Amino acid sequence: KCPLLAGPAANSGCPEIKAEDKAVLDLAMRNVQFETGSAKLLPASFKVLDQIAEILTRYPGYKLQIDGYTDNVGNAFANQQLSENRAKSCYDYLAGKGVNKALMNYNGHGETNPIADNNTAAGRRQNRRVTFTLTPG
């Protein structure tokens, strides 16, 4: 899948993603923050998003999938829209940093796929997230 780059067959011929770069992508899930009930990024999010933009320059054969999620508080339709808008905010920010839009895709999943218990404040905080996944292009 990466004809201009060398990588193992087990990774579709694309270079392996370094552990430290995977760690930044995982960290982003916990550190990208928004104004409450909004898709407006908080300035505290810019550093990790800038790191993601930089990572993408090291993996030109990859595409970035951005997925937004919410907790289950409130209306399911509104949560779906909020998750899409938050994923798009990250997409727009990265595009503004020079990341090729053709190499990114975003989706919102609303309150589906919780990773923690929505019955606790800590769980709801974990479920309000945006994930970033690099895949061979």
Side-chain angles (χ1 to χ4, degrees):
K1 290 188 174 183
C2 302
L4 302 177
L5 304 168
N11 200 41
S12 301
C14 295
E16 298 263 351
I17 299 171
K18 293 179 182 177
E20 58 268 22
D21 292 336
K22 286 181 182 180
V24 169
L25 295 173
D26 289 341
L27 178 71
M29 178 177 73
R30 293 181 297 281
N31 287 351
V32 172
Q33 300 172 16
F34 302 88
E35 289 185 2
T36 302
S38 166
K40 183 176 181 185
L41 287 161
L42 292 176
S45 303
F46 300 159
K47 180 180 177 183
V48 74
L49 289 170
D50 291 345
Q51 290 174 319
I52 291 172
E54 198 273 323
I55 286 170
L56 288 168
T57 65
R58 291 198 297 271
Y59 299 96
Y62 281 76
K63 292 189 177 183
L64 180 66
Q65 177 62 44
I66 305 166
D67 291 291
Y69 301 88
T70 65
D71 59 28
N72 68 349
V73 175
N75 176 284
F77 178 78
N79 284 338
Q80 176 64 35
Q81 293 299 311
L82 181 60
S83 69
E84 289 175 20
N85 291 340
R86 287 181 169 179
K88 185 175 186 316
S89 288
C90 293
Y91 170 93
D92 290 340
Y93 181 90
L94 292 169
K97 290 294 179 175
V99 177
N100 183 342
K101 289 182 179 183
L103 298 178
M104 297 186 292
N105 188 37
Y106 67 91
N107 288 301
H109 302 279
E111 53 196 57
T112 65
N113 302 319
I115 59 172
D117 186 352
N118 271 311
N119 292 318
T120 68
R124 288 188 298 275
R125 189 170 35 257
Q126 289 179 55
N127 290 332
R128 294 186 301 265
R129 68 196 187 280
V130 177
T131 62
F132 302 86
T133 308
L134 284 177
T135 56

